[in-house]
Amino acid sequence: MADQREAALQYARKNKEKFLNAFKEILTIPSVSTDPAHSADIRHAAEWLAAQLRGLGMQKVQVFPTTKHPIVYGEWLGAAGAPVVLIYGHYDVQPADPLNLWKTGPFDPVVRGEEIYARGASDMKGQDLVMLKAVESLVKTGGLPVNVKWLFEGEEEIGSPNLESFIAEHKDLLACDFAMNPDSGMIGKDYPTLTYALRGLAYFELRVFGPAKDLHSGIYGGAVHNPAIALAELIAGMHDTKGRITLPGFYDRVQKLNKEERDELARLPIDDKHFLEVTGAPALYGEAGFTVNERTGARPTLDVNGLLSGFTGEGSKTVIPAWAMAKISMRLVPDQDPKEVHQQLIRYLEEHATKDIRWELTAMAGGSASISDRNNIGVQAMEKALETVWGMRPYFRREGGSIPVVRDMQNLLGIESVISGFGLPDDNVHAPNEKMHLPTWYRGIEAVIHFFLNLKPQS
Ligand code: BES
Ligand code: MN
């Protein structure tokens, strides 16, 4: 059907309003995966997606319970001889706090100018809807040109504790030619982007204990090591003066960047100025000897994600706190192993913690980094689709964020992923006033329509 392309694009253009309403509907569901108070909302979001899949004529639609949040599956395998594409998505979101910094409610989606604001608008309900609405446009205009399977999880933002085992136990159900993973973004609205590398993650909570109880800082100041200071000292020692991480063995497995890749990263249309603008920081900081694109995409980092100790309320209180806590995480690159990094952190603490305090370390979410094959049929189909819609060749970039399922699918299913979503750097993901740029969202739907049609076998 030579003119399905035009018909499907027309369908998408005619139904913009309807598409937007569906988008708003899922954005009103507060599916915060980390908070047990939202488990009914999580189930609601899963059922909402299952209903969408049924509405699209998908078969075997099922909401699989896990020990935490359900996984939604559906498939349509009616395109004999065409590839099977496994579409990945997550329907959970990060917590919305701090609530007072939102201009409008995080689960009360509002369009202001060209943007729609709500938690999850960009990460990643907007991307889920791009896939659903592109498929709808094809289903309603002659049918899908390829076979599809859908896999939506509700635990991505807490490190996908049940996904790896689900994939391992459902290898036949999930068998496919490649995965389409839109849980990623673009360099800028005018720069179509394909992601080919993702960083991994190792996340920890570190607690430092000092005196058995809070102490008067006048009576006891000078007698004990303040746990807040001891923790700060430990953290300060985790980087050297060149911005390198000091955990023993931390860089042993880090793959070196070759000249070709460095040259390619240098050609990306984002530079120091871009990072200064989008971060609002007074100056940039990072490992000496690397550009900001290298530091964020191809080098490992260590960050403090949160700190807690002592008196933090209004006014003053002269106290030596009994304990201090930090959330510490590392972004990893191939071939670092989150379990090894855990051991390296333990070794660092054993070597550097002083005897006047006690520490406890808990490992939390984690996952491996990945590098994806850039030459498979899926990437080629998406490259062409992006070029058609944006009128320029897409950029290939390494992403600093983590999508551990990409590596899991390589290991367990033996498949590669096409990683291409339509979020923008200023979308405020994981932050107040998260948003999605609607013109880019609509272009995304058109691009994915092209993507599926580009995969259709030529007969
Ligand atoms: N969509 C993000 C990952 C991402 C961020 C991709 C930015 C591209 C650009 C994803 O939802 C996410 O935030 N993942 C967590 C993973 C973690 C909880 C295991 C992350 O990167 O912090
Ligand atoms: Mn995401």
Side-chain angles (χ1 to χ4, degrees):
M1 214 196 297
D3 56 354
Q4 191 188 5
R5 202 174 287 264
E6 211 33 56
L9 294 170
Q10 282 308 328
Y11 179 91
R13 287 169 196 156
K14 271 202 219 100
N15 286 284
K16 277 184 158 183
E17 183 119 353
K18 210 182 96 194
F19 288 1
L20 181 60
N21 287 336
F23 189 8
K24 286 182 179 164
E25 225 177 279
I26 192 168
L27 288 174
T28 62
I29 307 173
S31 44
V32 180
S33 48
T34 197
D35 184 352
H38 284 293
S39 59
D41 300 312
I42 280 274
R43 264 197 315 281
H44 182 186
E47 291 297 345
W48 189 92
L49 284 171
Q52 294 287 311
L53 294 182
R54 287 187 197 102
L56 291 174
M58 297 296 135
Q59 290 152 1
K60 284 206 207 167
V61 175
Q62 203 176 327
V63 177
F64 287 89
T66 75
T67 57
K68 208 166 220 151
H69 303 320
I71 288 171
V72 183
Y73 177 83
E75 65 178 38
W76 184 82
L77 303 176
V84 181
V85 184
L86 175 61
I87 303 166
Y88 166 86
H90 66 81
Y91 62 82
D92 63 321
V93 298
Q94 290 269 327
D97 60 276
L99 281 176
N100 61 321
L101 294 183
W102 284 79
K103 291 208 185 88
T104 48
F107 301 105
D108 176 17
V110 174
V111 177
R112 285 196 294 276
E114 292 189 326
E115 318 277 355
I116 184 165
Y117 289 85
R119 169 58 84 232
S122 178
D123 187 9
M124 69 168 292
K125 289 170 174 175
Q127 320 304 332
D128 296 333
L129 267 283
V130 163
M131 300 309 302
L132 288 167
K133 293 307 163 188
V135 167
E136 177 180 326
S137 303
L138 291 161
V139 166
K140 299 285 170 130
T141 55
L144 272 168
V146 294
N147 303 293
V148 292
K149 296 180 172 184
W150 302 80
L151 178 67
F152 289 112
E153 64 160 323
E155 301 182 335
E156 198 277 342
E157 301 291 3
I158 52 171
S160 306
N162 287 295
L163 189 61
E164 198 180 342
S165 58
F166 181 87
I167 294 173
E169 285 157 22
H170 295 87
K171 284 188 187 167
D172 291 338
L173 188 68
L174 301 173
C176 61
D177 290 286
F178 65 88
M180 169 70 205
N181 191 325
D183 191 14
S184 181
M186 303 169 59
I187 291 170
K189 71 176 170 51
D190 299 321
Y191 303 120
T193 309
L194 277 152
T195 297
Y196 70 91
L198 293 151
R199 287 197 289 190
L201 181 71
Y203 200 113
F204 305 94
E205 185 176 300
L206 175 60
R207 283 181 185 264
V208 168
F209 300 91
K213 55 189 184 239
D214 284 4
L215 301 174
H216 188 294
S217 67
I219 303 174
Y220 298 104
V224 296
H225 199 172
N226 182 320
I229 294 175
L231 177 60
E233 289 163 349
L234 285 171
I235 291 170
M238 290 177 188
H239 287 95
D240 68 13
T241 53
K242 297 231 154 49
R244 274 174 73 88
I245 295 152
T246 59
L247 308 193
F250 189 74
Y251 290 96
D252 287 358
R253 287 189 194 276
V254 171
Q255 282 183 21
K256 289 219 167 51
L257 275 170
N258 60 34
K259 166 124 177 33
E260 265 175 353
E261 230 187 321
R262 294 190 90 161
D263 288 348
E264 191 179 5
L265 289 173
R267 282 197 296 274
L268 292 180
I270 42 176
D271 53 12
D272 288 14
K273 188 167 152 284
H274 163 89
F275 278 91
L276 277 171
E277 266 168 30
V278 294
T279 62
L284 299 179
Y285 164 89
E287 190 184 359
F290 295 93
T291 67
V292 67
N293 284 321
E294 292 167 352
R295 289 172 183 168
T296 57
R299 298 295 295 172
T301 49
L302 180 149
D303 272 292
V304 173
N305 304 107
L307 274 175
L308 188 65
S309 186
F311 178 69
T312 57
E314 290 272 330
S316 59
K317 179 185 180 194
T318 46
V319 66
I320 296 174
W323 57 272
M325 183 272 274
K327 307 269 189 185
I328 296 174
S329 67
M330 296 77 157
R331 294 286 168 173
L332 310 178
V333 299
D335 293 313
Q336 288 178 295
D337 173 355
K339 291 196 183 72
E340 264 180 34
V341 169
H342 185 189
Q343 294 310 313
Q344 292 163 1
L345 179 56
I346 290 175
R347 206 147 16 106
Y348 171 88
L349 293 168
E350 284 171 351
E351 285 168 14
H352 292 84
T354 46
K355 294 284 171 266
D356 45 27
I357 53 140
R358 187 169 60 77
W359 54 269
E360 274 173 17
L361 184 70
T362 314
M364 309 181 84
S368 297
S370 58
I371 293 194
S372 297
D373 169 29
R374 294 156 57 156
N375 294 313
N376 71 66
I377 53 163
V379 172
Q380 284 161 4
M382 195 63 189
E383 211 178 334
K384 202 165 144 211
L386 292 170
E387 184 169 0
T388 304
V389 174
W390 267 268
M392 66 187 288
R393 300 280 307 274
Y395 287 92
F396 280 88
R397 71 106 166 252
R398 295 179 74 127
E399 171 56 61
S402 303
I403 316 179
V405 68
V406 171
R407 184 60 193 260
D408 294 340
M409 286 182 175
Q410 286 176 333
N411 290 347
L412 295 167
L413 301 175
I415 56 146
E416 291 292 329
S417 294
V418 179
I419 306 155
S420 182
F422 304 95
L424 297 178
D426 64 349
D427 276 352
N428 300 320
V429 294
H430 297 198
N433 304 304
E434 181 175 349
K435 55 98 178 156
M436 176 85 207
H437 185 238
L438 286 171
T440 303
W441 187 68
Y442 289 121
R443 281 177 139 183
I445 295 171
E446 296 201 4
V448 175
I449 291 171
H450 284 290
F451 162 72
F452 283 121
L453 288 165
N454 292 347
L455 285 163
K456 184 179 177 159
Q458 307 298 318
S459 52

